[in-house]
Amino acid sequence: MLKSVSGPLLAAALTAGMTALPVGDTFAQAPSPDRIIGVWESDDCDFKFEMFDAGETYAARVIYAKPLVEADGKTFKKDTLNPDPELRSRSLKGIIFLNDLKWDAGDRRWEGGSLYSGATGRTVSARVTLVGEKMELRGYMGTPTLGRTTVLHRAQ
């Protein structure tokens, strides 16, 4: 009698235990919030930045951006389109353009950030998702569906 009960009980216990475990990609690549840290660039190398830990949030500073440099390809332009008149004379070199990204474990992405464009002088909302080894940086106004995504890879 013990044999006939223990088989189904063992199978039920194993099944119940396995349903509580994450499976597939979730288990294999549960991202750490710090995976975002590092140097990222666009595939055409026209945009390169460093993502860093800024305390309880993450931020990024410009290393290179083609629209932010003069025709010589080296000299960074001034922040002339900044809505703050006091910042219009600063160089766009090394500016922190992405702020306040917070890790959202439920959605498995960094959200709640703000993205400043030195090329336009505008600030929009931002979020970041890592898909495999690629970063999807989405800037948007209002709702993420009304935005634009830039896909980047880790710089070598």
Side-chain angles (χ1 to χ4, degrees):
M1 172 113 179
L2 186 58
K3 267 188 175 178
S4 64
V5 173
S6 67
L9 284 177
L10 181 60
L14 284 174
T15 301
M18 288 175 63
T19 59
L21 292 174
V23 293
D25 199 33
T26 303
F27 184 69
Q29 291 191 3
S32 153
D34 286 345
R35 271 189 68 213
I36 197 173
I37 295 173
V39 177
W40 297 87
E41 67 184 343
S42 60
D43 288 338
D44 60 8
C45 299
D46 283 349
F47 182 42
K48 188 174 187 178
F49 62 89
E50 176 191 15
M51 185 70 70
F52 60 93
D53 182 336
E56 295 188 21
T57 64
Y58 295 87
R61 72 177 52 89
V62 172
I63 294 174
Y64 177 81
K66 190 173 183 178
L68 302 184
V69 295
E70 300 291 350
D72 66 5
K74 297 177 184 175
T75 307
F76 276 83
K77 295 177 181 177
K78 300 290 181 192
D79 196 5
T80 58
L81 299 175
N82 196 304
D84 182 346
E86 292 186 21
L87 297 178
R88 291 181 187 156
S89 63
R90 74 176 176 171
S91 170
L92 290 168
K93 182 179 184 177
I95 67 161
I96 296 174
F97 74 97
L98 184 57
N99 287 296
D100 301 325
L101 283 171
K102 296 179 187 102
W103 172 245
D104 183 323
D107 288 334
R108 297 170 47 91
R109 64 180 167 227
W110 296 260
E111 299 181 331
S114 63
L115 173 70
Y116 172 70
S117 170
T120 65
R122 293 190 328 200
T123 300
V124 297
S125 298
R127 73 178 187 197
V128 170
T129 306
L130 294 184
V131 179
E133 295 302 312
K134 298 281 185 173
M135 172 189 282
E136 294 181 355
L137 171 58
R138 185 154 188 87
Y140 59 94
M141 294 176 72
T143 176
T145 57
L146 300 176
R148 179 175 166 212
T149 299
T150 302
V151 179
L152 306 122
H153 63 273
R154 282 197 189 274
Q156 299 298 329

